[in-house]
Amino acid sequence: MAISVLVVDDEETFVQTLAKRLTLRRFNVYTASRAERVFATLSENLIDVVVLDVKMPDLDGIEATQTIKNSYPLIEIILLTGHASLEASLEGMKRGAFDYLLKPVNIDELVYKIEDAHRKKELQEEKIRRLKDESNDPSGEVGPVD
Amino acid sequence: MSALTWLQRLVGRFRGTPSEQPDPEAARNLFQRRYHALRLLLAANTQALSAMAAMEQAAIKGGGFGMTFVRSHCTAVGVNVFKMVRNLDILAPEKYTLLFDRLEEIQHRIDDDLATIPTPGDVPHVLPMAEIQHTHIDVTGSKMATLGEVANVVGLSVPGGFVITTSAFDRLIAANDIQPEISRLLQAYQSEKLDELFVLSSKLQQLILTAEVPPEIADAIVAGAEAAEPAPYSTFALRSSALGEDSAGASFAGQYETLLNVRRSNLVASYLEIVASTYTPQAMQYRKRHGLREDQVAMSVGCLEMIDARSGGVVYSGNPGDDRDSDIYISSAWGLPKSIVDGRFASDLIIVKRAEPPTISSRDIGDKRNQFVLHPREGVRRADVPDAMQRQPSLADHEALAIADAAMKLESHFGTLVDVEWAMTHAGDIVILQCRPLTQLRESTDRSLPADTPKPLISGGVNASPGAAAGPVHWVTRDMDALSFSRNSVLALVQPLPRWAALLDRTAAVVAEEGGIAGHLATVARELGVPAILGAGSLADLENGFEVTVDASGRAVYAGTIDALIEQRAAHPEQVADSPVRRTLRTVLTHISLLNLVDPKGLDFTPENCKTMHDITRFCHEQAVREIFAFGTETKFPEYASKQLHHNVPMQWWILDLGGGFGQPVSGKYVRLEDIACKPMLALWDGMVAVPWDGPPATSRRGLASILFEATANPALASPFKKPYADRNYFIISEHFLNLQSRFGFHFTNVEALAGPRLEENYLSFSFKGGAADLERKAARARFIGDLLAELSFDTEVIEDVVNARRTSLDHQDVEQGLRVVGYLLMHTRQLDMIMADRAAVAHYGAKIRADLTQFI
């Protein structure tokens, strides 16, 4: 099944171009250019990987990373930024981002990151499924996510 | 339940006991997650090391990079090091959490250093000159940032005006959506042919010239012109200021367009012309020659007040052709400095000696019949110099001394020798038009001529770029001549115009009838190390195809090839430039690239001792491989346990398959070579057995298998007891990955390679240490191997008896080819340390190894 990717950026042209290029690479692409659409899309669809601009007028990408990971711990997030900052990038990684890329985006590099992020998610899902099957624990505790 | 207890439970279950069998599916999942973590860790290691290498290169070479480069590379290193620590934490949960703290401490130190240079905020499309300083280099290019610094920090006079920033360039390209087409055309161009380069250049320039300038940029340009100080002036000089331009060793002198006398109404159209000159053939050749990336080109444009100069020229704060000469060289002509930088007309050369006070030591007054002047209606045009002024100095002594003083001030501020274009107004004021680092060459100290040197065909002119070279004469007076210019010819010119710089890449030497040391062509010739004699007078004796030796240092041209002279005159580029950005880069590198953890067996190889990003990468890499090895050797589940290699006999190598390394599931203790599907391992093996070893000692009659067996035989390995990681010979493999940790005889080797479908992530690294001989001979062998690998395009480092070699961004076939070479070297250099004192033997084996490699690669 195709990997589902949600691309989030307030620059409409950027979002559309990136969506087109990712679709050509056989990804199932959703887009959002406003904060409200991000959470609506996540709740309405099974998203594997979010590609998220760090700096949007109505959304702080670093905080959004934490919020998304709190609600959907298995979804992997790749942060994008136009302005490199070591401090901000490491903060994003600490809050659970899978990776951090600088614009302009090299499409091959982004594709690799999405594939790697998806593979990680797949293995986590398999682990949880297996532990749930095995577990007699009614609480459903299945251990941490890597 | 904590992550640790949970994993302990799972691992305990996975490892199994006689009473508790492991669940094969859980084991498989755990194994795959660990393997995935290892793969991500190794990819992050490659990216972190590449970013560090790029930073070190920039710090060594200097260049037109700004804080954007420094910040983005610090970020790339930091993010990838974080990923390594996080993935090591998956491989060994909660065992190395201290590394997170170490990383954070290093990050704070880097942040503190980076904070010394503020980040420009959101960049407008236009910036007034009065606001620009050197820190704006990322948005105004080096040329305009430096000019802003000259005015606003050093306090010298520069033309007023404004700069159209790289933000406007990015917007222009994005709004017209032409980047994909530019990238496509550039990627499709693989040719070395000049005519195809000209066609490509024309297509790229057309793309830009036909682009629409977005209204917000056009409006900003008009507003910038209206606000320009000192108002009012009606025409502008438009000068390119590309990122990377004017840096030390890469001046781009004259490679981009400059438009003079541009009216306000034409500013927008002229802006496009300058942007289009990003893709002139000479600029593209120049970038290629200097290893600058086409996709990182961004052009900003200075729109400056036109200065109506009485005299103009160039001052060098040192002799560009001789680093032993600290005199100040002023080239000057009547009118605008264009006649000097274009190298067209005769000029004056005034030399000022650095003394207290500085004094004029020499005046060479040219016969200046022509000049360029600023005409109120016609703009810049050529004019005759009145007879009475032709032999008069274009600068009075006190003016020359004032220019020398300005050059010394700039040299002191920028911390490097400078190359400054200046204008003297009719009121006698000095205006600085451009300032850049001066490329200086170290002149050969030997000025004598080899015995039997014939009488020169031509002598005289100026040594515009020292050295000597030979080749057939090729006259170039028009573009058609350039198209047929063949490699290693001697470029013969009447006028050394900047546009012929596109040929310098393939030129042995330059001779020109006109011109001087300060022209753009001379500057580029010096950067490329192409010997050049300019202003030589009539070259009528040089016919096309005639083989000559040009001795620029001796200012002479000889018939035929004189090898002894060429060798004697060898010149070396000397780069001394510095800048606040480069200083910052060097400071942050002390937290990034220094390596303190060198010995994995050392007691200090701990997270506590990780002081730099490089230390953390080294530690994570080493521990990750150990952890995966421990996981594979301690597991009770046979599918994931390491196997002993069996090839005719049981070999002293154990193999751990991370996935896809075996062609089919292997049960039992042994794995046979024919079961191996890991292509990197098979390639390495191919290299190991490609050529029988006939060096000392002679090949055993028992055959290759026993030699391979012996190769790993070491007293320490004979013990029947379980060995720790570092004392065992093993391969960790997957379908595309190989890590070999092995002892061959008395030396220790590590080979690691990734040869998958992702070219950017592929790499091959090889480390080699030790031997049975004394340190001197072991070190000699390390240098011997290092030289061989360097010849084969490895990035190689040799420290005493240790060789570290690495190649990156290769396709899988190239990685496999590299592994064959490494495999061969493993077998054929293992005892060479014993013969390293014997020069003849070293030469013999060097020749044999090169011949073998040529044959089987």
Side-chain angles (χ1 to χ4, degrees):
Chain A
M1 205 168 75
I3 302 172
S4 291
V5 182
L6 170 61
V7 179
V8 186
D9 197 305
D10 61 315
E11 260 189 68
E12 195 69 45
T13 337
F14 175 78
V15 169
Q16 292 314 323
T17 312
L18 191 56
K20 211 158 99 184
R21 299 179 80 183
L22 290 175
T23 308
L24 284 172
R25 305 282 186 117
R26 303 187 188 288
F27 291 103
N28 183 21
V29 185
Y30 299 83
T31 62
S33 46
R34 292 192 321 278
E36 55 187 282
R37 285 302 309 152
V38 176
F39 296 100
T41 311
L42 289 173
S43 65
E44 291 160 11
N45 304 279
L46 288 173
I47 300 294
D48 296 310
V49 180
V50 179
V51 177
L52 175 64
D53 185 25
V54 172
K55 204 174 171 187
M56 287 173 59
D58 60 348
L59 188 69
D60 178 325
I62 308 286
E63 279 180 17
T65 300
Q66 183 138 42
T67 314
I68 295 172
K69 289 300 274 187
N70 285 344
S71 306
Y72 307 94
L74 291 180
I75 288 183
E76 294 297 345
I77 300 165
I78 296 167
L79 292 170
L80 293 184
T81 183
H83 303 281
S85 155
L86 179 60
E87 193 179 3
S89 61
L90 289 183
E91 191 55 39
M93 299 295 288
K94 283 179 206 160
R95 305 252 187 131
F98 177 79
D99 215 324
Y100 194 94
L101 281 180
L102 286 173
K103 290 181 183 175
V105 176
N106 175 319
I107 191 72
D108 286 335
E109 196 180 354
L110 179 60
V111 166
Y112 297 156
K113 304 279 183 210
I114 294 173
E115 287 172 353
D116 286 344
H118 175 253
R119 176 70 180 144
K120 184 179 172 203
K121 177 169 178 274
E122 223 175 27
L123 289 168
Q124 290 292 336
E125 283 170 345
E126 190 187 326
K127 177 182 95 176
I128 289 169
R129 208 169 36 243
R130 183 151 307 286
L131 289 172
K132 267 184 181 166
D133 288 349
E134 278 181 14
S135 177
N136 295 322
D137 184 351
S139 71
E141 187 185 11
V142 291
V145 171
D146 286 343
Chain B
M1 180 168 52
S2 75
L4 182 64
T5 38
W6 173 81
L7 263 162
Q8 280 169 340
R9 197 178 78 181
L10 180 65
V11 172
R13 208 187 290 170
F14 167 45
R15 286 176 180 166
T17 60
S19 59
E20 188 186 354
Q21 287 303 312
D23 169 3
E25 286 306 311
R28 188 183 58 77
N29 178 262
L30 182 60
F31 206 83
Q32 286 182 340
R33 277 187 290 122
R34 293 202 168 191
Y35 171 44
H36 189 59
L38 177 70
R39 217 174 59 69
L40 294 176
L41 184 147
L42 295 173
N45 185 47
T46 298
Q47 289 181 333
L49 294 181
S50 300
M52 284 181 208
M55 294 171 87
E56 285 180 327
Q57 281 292 313
I60 293 164
K61 287 186 177 172
F65 55 86
M67 285 307 291
T68 300
F69 172 89
V70 180
R71 287 199 169 88
S72 63
H73 281 73
C74 285
T75 303
V77 171
V79 166
N80 283 297
V81 172
F82 183 91
K83 288 191 306 198
M84 292 184 76
V85 176
R86 185 166 65 186
N87 283 298
L88 181 61
D89 195 49
I90 293 172
L91 285 163
E94 298 196 16
K95 199 166 166 186
Y96 306 109
T97 48
L98 187 61
L99 287 172
F100 286 108
D101 301 333
R102 282 280 166 270
L103 174 57
E104 192 160 326
E105 285 164 24
I106 297 167
Q107 174 219 322
H108 287 315
R109 290 206 294 272
I110 294 172
D111 280 335
D112 289 346
D113 289 336
L114 291 178
T116 56
I117 295 186
T119 317
D122 283 340
V123 181
H125 294 323
V126 157
L127 270 176
M129 276 306 290
E131 290 179 14
I132 295 171
Q133 297 188 5
H134 203 262
T135 49
H136 287 91
I137 187 167
D138 292 322
V139 293
T140 65
S142 176
K143 192 192 283 181
M144 288 302 134
T146 306
L147 204 55
E149 179 95 353
V150 169
N152 303 317
V153 181
V154 186
L156 297 176
S157 178
V158 307
F162 62 97
V163 176
I164 309 170
T165 63
T166 52
S167 148
F169 175 86
D170 294 340
R171 181 80 196 110
L172 173 75
I173 301 292
N176 288 276
D177 198 20
I178 48 180
Q179 190 57 51
E181 182 61 6
I182 291 175
S183 305
R184 192 191 66 76
L185 286 168
L186 286 168
Q187 276 173 15
Y189 172 72
Q190 300 290 342
S191 171
E192 283 281 305
K193 290 183 185 163
L194 271 183
D195 52 350
E196 290 176 22
L197 174 68
F198 277 71
V199 171
L200 171 70
S201 156
S202 163
K203 283 182 183 166
L204 291 167
Q205 292 198 59
Q206 275 304 313
L207 267 180
I208 292 170
L209 289 171
T210 52
E212 291 269 339
V213 177
E216 62 271 29
I217 297 177
D219 293 347
I221 293 174
V222 171
E226 278 170 6
E229 298 282 346
Y233 48 93
S234 54
T235 61
F236 292 81
L238 263 60
R239 290 174 181 270
S240 68
S241 185
L243 294 193
E245 187 179 357
D246 263 10
S247 51
S251 69
F252 277 84
Q255 305 307 294
Y256 298 126
E257 198 69 58
T258 293
L259 295 174
L260 300 177
N261 219 41
V262 177
R263 292 179 189 283
R264 281 184 187 207
S265 54
N266 282 338
L267 275 176
V268 174
S270 302
Y271 165 65
L272 273 188
E273 271 188 61
I274 305 268
V275 173
S277 76
T278 307
Y279 295 107
T280 60
Q282 60 266 37
M284 292 170 71
Q285 281 289 77
Y286 190 95
R287 283 193 289 271
K288 189 175 163 199
R289 179 67 177 78
H290 282 77
L292 302 170
R293 287 171 53 166
E294 289 289 349
D295 58 358
Q296 288 178 350
V297 172
M299 179 69 86
S300 71
V301 177
C303 300
L304 305 177
E305 174 191 8
M306 283 292 297
I307 303 293
D308 184 10
R310 187 207 73 202
S311 308
V314 170
V315 53
Y316 292 155
S317 70
N319 181 343
D322 188 348
D323 68 341
R324 294 162 303 171
D325 180 358
S326 63
D327 290 350
I328 295 162
Y329 284 70
I330 305 172
S331 300
S332 172
W334 294 117
L336 302 173
K338 181 176 168 64
S339 51
I340 303 273
V341 296
D342 275 6
R344 290 193 191 215
F345 305 137
S347 57
D348 303 334
L349 179 64
I350 300 164
I351 301 175
V352 176
K353 192 161 267 319
R354 289 177 198 248
E356 281 300 334
T359 51
I360 292 174
S361 63
S362 149
R363 286 181 203 82
D364 180 5
I365 306 303
D367 186 7
K368 305 176 288 296
R369 297 176 188 186
N370 298 292
Q371 63 179 326
F372 284 103
V373 295
L374 185 62
H375 191 276
R377 285 188 306 281
E378 297 172 29
V380 176
R381 70 175 178 85
R382 183 175 161 164
D384 292 336
V385 174
D387 289 348
M389 291 168 65
Q390 285 177 5
R391 302 288 307 174
Q392 290 297 311
S394 52
L395 281 180
D397 285 0
H398 72 278
E399 292 172 333
L401 290 170
I403 289 169
D405 183 56
M408 285 189 284
K409 273 192 183 127
L410 293 170
E411 177 187 286
S412 159
H413 179 75
F414 290 108
T416 174
L417 294 176
V418 288
D419 161 353
V420 182
E421 189 178 330
W422 55 268
M424 178 73 68
T425 66
H426 291 279
D429 297 324
I430 299 165
V431 181
I432 306 297
L433 303 176
Q434 192 169 324
C435 173
R436 59 189 174 209
L438 176 70
T439 307
Q440 194 177 41
L441 297 173
R442 183 177 300 146
E443 177 72 292
S444 161
T445 50
D446 187 355
R447 300 280 169 107
S448 65
L449 289 171
D452 306 328
T453 305
K455 195 167 169 284
L457 292 173
I458 289 156
S459 59
V462 294
N463 168 11
S465 175
V473 172
H474 189 121
W475 275 94
V476 175
T477 51
R478 55 205 175 118
D479 286 344
M480 285 299 291
D481 301 330
L483 293 181
S484 59
F485 192 84
S486 50
R487 196 169 281 281
N488 297 325
S489 297
V490 168
L491 175 62
L493 303 165
V494 177
Q495 294 180 331
L497 301 179
R499 72 170 187 271
W500 305 131
L503 300 173
L504 290 185
D505 196 27
R506 55 192 67 201
T507 297
V510 183
V511 278
E513 295 187 347
E514 299 171 6
I517 57 168
H520 283 158
L521 193 79
T523 302
V524 179
R526 283 193 293 275
E527 285 167 13
L528 299 185
V530 177
I533 301 175
L534 304 186
S538 172
L539 299 176
D541 288 346
L542 298 185
E543 288 184 15
N544 263 335
F546 191 55
E547 192 79 20
V548 294
T549 297
V550 177
D551 174 17
S553 304
R555 300 185 302 147
V557 180
Y558 299 91
T561 302
I562 308 172
D563 289 328
L565 187 59
I566 295 167
E567 203 170 306
Q568 194 170 312
R569 301 294 200 219
H572 310 283
E574 182 86 345
Q575 295 170 0
V576 290
D578 208 348
S579 71
V581 174
R582 191 168 166 217
R583 280 195 289 274
T584 305
L585 173 62
R586 282 205 294 260
T587 310
V588 296
L589 272 173
T590 60
H591 312 305
I592 290 180
S593 68
L594 287 181
L595 185 61
N596 304 295
L597 298 190
V598 284
D599 181 8
K601 286 182 177 174
L603 290 175
D604 60 348
F605 200 83
T606 61
E608 288 83 354
N609 288 315
C610 287
K611 296 187 177 75
T612 64
M613 294 287 195
H614 201 168
D615 287 338
I616 300 183
T617 62
R618 181 83 178 83
F619 185 84
C620 287
H621 182 267
E622 187 71 24
Q623 297 310 116
V625 177
R626 282 178 190 232
E627 292 294 342
I628 205 100
F629 174 74
F631 192 68
T633 50
E634 290 165 17
T635 177
K636 297 286 187 296
F637 195 74
E639 188 184 340
Y640 303 105
S642 56
K643 314 282 180 192
Q644 193 172 357
L645 182 65
H646 197 289
H647 183 54
N648 302 328
V649 292
M651 313 291 289
Q652 290 294 307
W653 277 297
W654 280 260
I655 303 185
L656 176 64
D657 178 23
L658 300 176
F662 298 160
Q664 54 194 342
V666 175
S667 55
K669 189 179 165 194
Y670 297 112
V671 59
R672 293 180 181 279
L673 191 62
E674 45 275 28
D675 293 328
I676 303 292
C678 167
K679 287 185 179 164
M681 179 176 165
L682 293 174
L684 186 79
W685 194 268
D686 273 357
M688 286 162 68
V689 300
V691 182
W693 168 249
D694 67 352
T699 313
S700 160
R701 287 184 187 160
R702 285 171 295 160
L704 201 56
S706 57
I707 291 177
L708 291 170
F709 181 86
E710 280 175 1
T712 56
N714 181 288
L717 298 168
S719 159
F721 301 108
K722 200 177 247 186
K723 315 288 187 312
Y725 158 87
D727 286 340
R728 202 156 178 182
N729 296 300
Y730 65 90
F731 285 95
I732 296 176
I733 60 172
S734 73
E735 185 182 357
H736 302 302
F737 174 72
L738 155 80
N739 181 302
L740 165 67
Q741 195 90 15
S742 191
R743 279 184 185 279
F744 282 81
F746 289 95
H747 63 252
F748 184 75
T749 286
N750 178 236
V751 182
E752 189 172 286
L754 182 66
R758 299 176 182 179
L759 185 141
E760 295 81 355
E761 291 183 2
N762 287 345
Y763 63 92
L764 163 55
S765 75
F766 172 50
S767 305
F768 180 95
K769 185 184 188 319
D774 55 77
L775 182 61
E776 198 175 318
R777 279 185 291 168
K778 285 191 291 185
R781 179 180 58 176
R783 287 195 298 276
F784 178 85
I785 296 171
D787 287 348
L788 279 169
L789 290 166
E791 284 171 30
L792 294 162
S793 306
F794 281 77
D795 290 329
T796 309
E797 179 189 56
V798 178
I799 305 164
E800 294 191 338
D801 64 336
V802 179
V803 182
N804 292 314
R806 192 172 173 91
R807 289 192 70 189
T808 49
S809 295
L810 305 163
D811 66 29
H812 69 93
Q813 287 158 327
D814 284 341
V815 177
E816 285 158 21
Q817 188 67 279
L819 283 164
R820 283 185 198 98
V821 170
V822 169
Y824 171 92
L825 291 178
L826 283 178
M827 299 312 296
H828 289 255
T829 58
R830 62 196 177 102
Q831 289 186 351
L832 279 188
D833 52 341
M834 305 308 288
I835 53 112
M836 275 292 147
D838 179 350
R839 279 185 154 205
V842 170
H844 166 76
Y845 284 109
K848 178 186 169 0
I849 287 171
R850 284 180 178 86
D852 283 350
L853 288 175
T854 311
Q855 202 158 35
F856 88 82
I857 286 176

